[in-house]
Amino acid sequence: MNIQDLTLFVRTAQTCNITAAALQLDMSPAAASAALKRLEKQLGVQLFIRSTRKLRITAEGERYLVHCTEALAALEKGKASLNEMQGKIAGEIRLSTSSDLGRNIVLPWLDEMMDAYPELSIQLNVGDSLADFFHDKVDMALRYGEPEDSSLVAFLIAKIDRVVCASPQYLAQYGEPQHPNELSQHNCLLYRFGERVYDTWPFSDHAGKYNVKVSGNRLSNDADVVHRWVVAGKGITMKSRLDMAADLRAGYVVELLHNFNSPAISLWLICPNRTQVTPAMLMLRDLLRSKCEAELS
C-alpha cells in the first residue's frame, strides 16, 4: 500500500474533512478523494460515509485507524532509529509554543538549529491556547507551567523568575512604585488565558507575602501583545524574565520592585509519549536548555 494513502487516511479521520487533509499533504482534493477510494478498494471495505455536508468514519474505518496510526508511527520511529545510527538529525518536528516565546525568543534558535541540520524541517504553531496533540497534529509543546496530565512526557527546560517592569518613558511620566501595594495607582497591563484574567500578582519579602489586585486599561489573550504594550510605555506588567531579558539588557524596560520576590515559573517541553521522541527532538530539548541558561545568566 502507498504510505501517502495511509497518511491521507489518518489525516482525513483526524479532520473529518478531505479538503483539509489534502491541503496538509499538498494534494488536490480530487487526488485525495481518488486516493481514499483506491485504499478502500484495496481493503475491500468502506472507510468513510460521505454526504454533501459531512464526512463520517465507519466502524471499519475506526478499527483500521488504530492499526494504521500505529504502523505509521512505527515507520517514523524506524526512520529515526536509522538516522540515529548514522548520527543524522533529520525528519520533521511539529512544535507548538506560546506567542511571546515563539515570536521573540524561540524563532531565532530554531533557525540556528535548522541551518546546522539542513535535513531537519519544523512546523511551528504559535498561540497561547493549549495544544491538543491529536487534533492540532503537533509532536511537542513548549509551555510555561508543569503539565497536569501525568501520562505526558515532560522535559524541564528552565525555572524562571518573574519580573515587574515598565519602560523608562512610562516611569518618567508616572513615577516608579516602591511597594507592591502602590501598583493600584498605576496602569497595569493584563493577560487573559481562557476565562482567567491574571490580575492578582504575588509578591513576598522578609515581612511576608502579598497578593496584589491590579487593574489597567489594556487586557489581551496574547502574551506578545502585552509584551509590546509594556515596551511602548503603556503601563506596568509582570512577565517571565526570559520573555523580557533582551529588553531589560537593551534598556527598553526597567525592572521594578527589586526588594520583592515573585514565585518562579517553570518552562517545559512536552510530548505525548516517549516512543515518539526522536534524536532531533532530544537535540531541540538540549538546545532550549542551553539557550535559556545563556539568556538568563
Side-chain angles (χ1 to χ4, degrees):
M1 290 181 181
N2 188 312
I3 292 178
Q4 188 178 42
D5 290 356
L6 300 180
T7 304
L8 173 66
F9 164 62
V10 172
R11 297 287 179 91
T12 304
Q14 291 171 344
T15 60
C16 295
N17 188 302
I18 293 178
T19 300
L23 289 173
Q24 291 176 10
L25 298 173
D26 294 324
M27 300 173 65
S28 69
S33 181
L36 288 175
K37 290 178 181 178
R38 179 170 61 243
L39 182 59
E40 288 177 325
K41 184 176 181 181
Q42 289 175 317
L43 294 170
V45 298
Q46 186 176 4
L47 297 172
F48 296 100
I49 296 173
R50 301 163 178 82
S51 69
T52 55
R53 291 191 174 184
K54 62 173 63 175
L55 186 78
R56 181 167 59 85
I57 193 168
T58 64
E60 293 84 357
E62 288 277 11
R63 175 169 291 192
Y64 188 61
L65 178 63
V66 175
H67 299 287
C68 192
T69 303
E70 291 176 351
L72 290 173
L75 288 172
E76 283 298 318
K77 187 178 178 182
K79 182 179 178 181
S81 179
L82 291 175
N83 289 334
E84 187 175 13
M85 285 181 62
Q86 299 167 10
K88 290 173 62 178
I89 299 297
E92 180 181 70
I93 299 176
R94 297 173 296 182
L95 176 67
S96 170
T97 185
S98 56
S99 60
D100 204 352
L101 272 175
R103 295 189 185 102
N104 302 318
I105 309 295
V106 175
L107 187 59
W109 298 350
L110 296 178
D111 289 338
E112 181 180 320
M113 184 175 175
M114 294 179 68
D115 288 344
Y117 299 96
E119 294 184 52
L120 179 66
S121 63
I122 289 180
Q123 285 190 25
L124 183 63
N125 293 348
V126 176
D128 286 339
S129 60
L130 292 176
D132 183 312
F133 288 103
F134 181 76
H135 292 290
D136 296 337
K137 294 175 286 299
V138 297
D139 303 311
M140 309 191 89
L142 183 65
R143 285 289 184 270
Y144 287 116
E146 187 169 354
E148 296 180 0
D149 189 344
S150 60
S151 68
L152 299 174
V153 178
F155 301 109
L156 177 62
I157 301 301
K159 288 195 172 181
I160 306 161
D161 66 326
R162 285 180 279 192
V163 295
V164 177
C165 55
S167 73
Q169 298 93 323
Y170 176 88
L171 297 175
Q173 185 172 358
Y174 298 102
E176 180 178 340
Q178 301 301 313
H179 190 281
N181 290 335
E182 295 179 18
L183 290 170
S184 62
Q185 304 166 26
H186 287 268
N187 192 48
C188 293
L189 308 170
L190 301 179
Y191 172 67
R192 175 171 56 82
F193 181 76
E195 299 301 316
R196 179 182 176 185
V197 176
Y198 287 82
D199 57 358
T200 300
W201 295 355
F203 298 91
S204 64
D205 66 358
H206 64 280
K209 295 183 177 181
Y210 312 86
N211 287 309
V212 180
K213 184 81 169 179
V214 298
S215 62
N217 63 3
R218 283 173 170 81
L219 166 69
S220 179
N221 66 341
D222 188 312
D224 184 37
V225 171
V226 178
H227 187 152
R228 293 173 186 235
W229 278 338
V230 70
V231 172
K234 304 305 181 183
I236 296 175
T237 196
M238 174 184 279
K239 283 183 67 65
S240 153
R241 184 177 295 277
L242 179 64
D243 292 345
M244 304 307 303
D247 298 293
L248 287 166
R249 286 196 302 270
Y252 298 144
V253 296
V254 177
E255 184 176 351
L256 309 176
L257 301 172
H258 294 274
N259 296 325
F260 298 87
N261 299 313
S262 295
I265 52 177
S266 52
L267 181 63
W268 296 83
L269 186 63
I270 308 160
C271 57
N273 60 71
R274 196 166 295 277
T275 60
Q276 294 182 0
V277 177
T278 66
M281 293 177 184
L282 294 177
M283 176 164 283
L284 175 60
R285 176 202 63 187
D286 295 341
L287 173 74
L288 292 171
R289 284 174 174 170
S290 64
K291 289 291 188 181
C292 284
E293 182 179 2
E295 189 74 8
L296 295 169
S297 60

